[in-house]
Structure formats: structure tokens, C-alpha cells
């Protein structure tokens, strides 16, 4: 191996280590809301940004790092009554409309 190759190799190593570190930090701090309809992941939103998500039958809200179902046209309203979720792995399910809000 030439000297240049070694430098290049270690540069790549450092770069990928940094990338992995960045990815891990992002993973720990940034939570993501996955919106699934018909069991297919349709949208992904960061919980860091407040927003309203209008779906065909449901309206979900991201506020202060929490997610809740604001409105739904389903009969049982279980999804609306689920309240706020903010932890990884938690989810709000609207069975009649086949909508799942999941935090990753
Ligand atoms: Zn519902």
C-alpha cells in the first residue's frame, strides 16, 4: 500500500465513524412519527416540528414532541380517546379507518 492509500483509507474510516456517530445521535434525539394507512407506512414526520396531519378520515397533530388524534370520523373514537403519545413504540390505532400513528 502506498502512503496515499493509507491516508485515504483512514480518512474513509474516520468519516464513516463520524457518520455512524451522527446517525446514533440523531436516532437518540429525534423521534419520528410514522403514519400508516392500510398497514403501509405512508408518511414520516419528525416530532421536533409542530404540525397538523390531515388524512382522509383522521386529523393527527404533532405538538411539543407529542402526538394525538385531533379528529376522526370513526364511530368508536378510540383513537381520539387514546390521548397523547410521545414514547418510542407507542401508537394510536384507528381500526375502522385502518390508520396507525406510531412513534419510532
Ligand atoms: Zn378512530
Amino acid at each position: 500500500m502506498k502512503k496515499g492509500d493509507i491516508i485515504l483509507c483512514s480518512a474513509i474510516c474516520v468519516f464513516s465513524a463520524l457518520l455512524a456517530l451522527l446517525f446514533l445521535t440523531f436516532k437518540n434525539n429525534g423521534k419520528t412519527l410514522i403514519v400508516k394507512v392500510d398497514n403501509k407506512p405512508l408518511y414520516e414526520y419528525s416530532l421536533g416540528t409542530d404540525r397538523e396531519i390531515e388524512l382522509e378520515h383522521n386529523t393527527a397533530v404533532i405538538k411539543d414532541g407529542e402526538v394525538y388524534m385531533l379528529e376522526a370520523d370513526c364511530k368508536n373514537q378510540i383513537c381520539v380517546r387514546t390521548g397523547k403519545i410521545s414514547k418510542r413504540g407507542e401508537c394510536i390505532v384507528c381500526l375502522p379507518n385502518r390508520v396507525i400513528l406510531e412513534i419510532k
Side-chain angles (χ1 to χ4, degrees), residues 22-67:
L22 214 86
F23 183 69
L24 279 176
T25 314
F26 174 75
K27 234 181 144 184
N28 285 337
N29 294 340
K31 285 185 212 159
T32 310
L33 171 70
I34 315 277
V35 179
K36 289 184 189 168
V37 179
D38 269 333
N39 221 15
K40 287 184 214 105
L42 276 193
Y43 309 107
E44 267 190 53
Y45 300 103
S46 162
L47 293 199
T49 316
D50 292 355
R51 70 166 74 228
E52 227 176 83
I53 303 153
E54 302 247 4
L55 300 165
E56 206 178 330
H57 301 283
N58 301 60
T59 306
V61 171
I62 300 175
K63 186 130 204 329
D64 302 325
E66 294 180 313
V67 180

Side-chain angles (χ1 to χ4, degrees), residues 51-90:
R51 70 166 74 228
E52 227 176 83
I53 303 153
E54 302 247 4
L55 300 165
E56 206 178 330
H57 301 283
N58 301 60
T59 306
V61 171
I62 300 175
K63 186 130 204 329
D64 302 325
E66 294 180 313
V67 180
Y68 61 95
M69 195 72 86
L70 181 71
E71 275 179 333
D73 64 4
C74 59
K75 279 203 182 109
N76 59 26
Q77 295 286 299
I78 286 172
C79 52
V80 178
R81 277 188 278 143
T82 303
K84 292 176 179 175
I85 56 169
S86 58
K87 294 190 187 76
R88 238 178 235 113
E90 286 185 318

